[in-house]
Amino acid sequence: IYLWRQYRRPNYTIGHLYIDGKYVCDTVEDTDRNLTDAMPLDEIRKKKISNETAIPCGTYPVVFSISTRFRSRDWASVYGGIVPLVDGVKCYQGVRIHPGNKAEDTEGCLLPGQNKVKGGVINSKETYLRIMDQYLWPAYKRQDKVFITISPIMPNFLI
């Protein structure tokens, strides 16, 4: 998975999500404060504003686990409460890919949808279910290793 953070604004970040080199959807996240996974922990802590900061750019494993917070939601219960978790993010815990429409709906998580409104996405639940059905759930069933790269740089496969 490749997430290109294309539009970085003071209160939100809009990105384009690609899976296997194919554009899949847009995303909304909290504010990108130019954090990277290469930064020391103390530098990330200084720049991070709790519940208002997108996770550091970098490459992370995506693991599949039951979310105690979301497992009873209709979009999660379809998969037995399993919601993709972006693992190993410095200074963050519980970063998931899940439905939501604006930066206020996340605490660092990645929210898929269609960027048809300023500062957010629409059709997030439908987009999430499509991503799960077509890409992530089959990968989970095959026990594939899944990674996500988050970057402000256009992916090489688009150049």
Side-chain angles (χ1 to χ4, degrees), residues 70 73 75-76 83 97-101 105 110-112 121 123-129:
F70 296 125
R73 307 273 176 100
W75 50 265
V83 180
I97 300 170
H98 68 81
N101 299 106
D105 297 337
L110 315 174
L111 311 179
V121 294
N123 300 321
S124 186
K125 182 175 151 184
E126 296 82 359
T127 303
Y128 173 83
L129 292 171

Side-chain angles (χ1 to χ4, degrees), residues 6-14 30-32 118-119:
Q6 192 170 13
Y7 304 106
R8 299 179 317 194
R9 301 297 186 257
N11 297 316
Y12 62 88
T13 304
I14 299 294
D30 285 323
T31 304
D32 182 348
K118 185 174 182 168

Side-chain angles (χ1 to χ4, degrees), residues 63-110:
V63 298
F64 298 90
S65 64
I66 294 175
S67 167
T68 55
R69 181 176 180 181
F70 296 125
R71 71 176 168 215
S72 63
R73 307 273 176 100
D74 61 342
W75 50 265
S77 63
V78 173
Y79 309 102
I82 293 173
V83 180
L85 175 74
V86 180
D87 200 23
V89 182
K90 291 179 183 177
C91 298
Y92 290 76
Q93 290 184 346
V95 176
R96 300 212 180 245
I97 300 170
H98 68 81
N101 299 106
K102 53 191 183 296
E104 293 82 13
D105 297 337
T106 179
E107 297 173 4
C109 297
L110 315 174

Side-chain angles (χ1 to χ4, degrees), residues 16-45:
H16 290 187
L17 188 76
Y18 299 85
I19 298 179
D20 295 330
K22 176 184 173 194
Y23 168 79
V24 174
C25 68
D26 301 315
T27 61
V28 65
E29 300 176 81
D30 285 323
T31 304
D32 182 348
R33 300 186 196 286
N34 297 312
L35 304 177
T36 71
D37 63 347
M39 289 177 167
L41 287 173
D42 59 334
E43 187 175 352
I44 292 173
R45 285 187 186 114

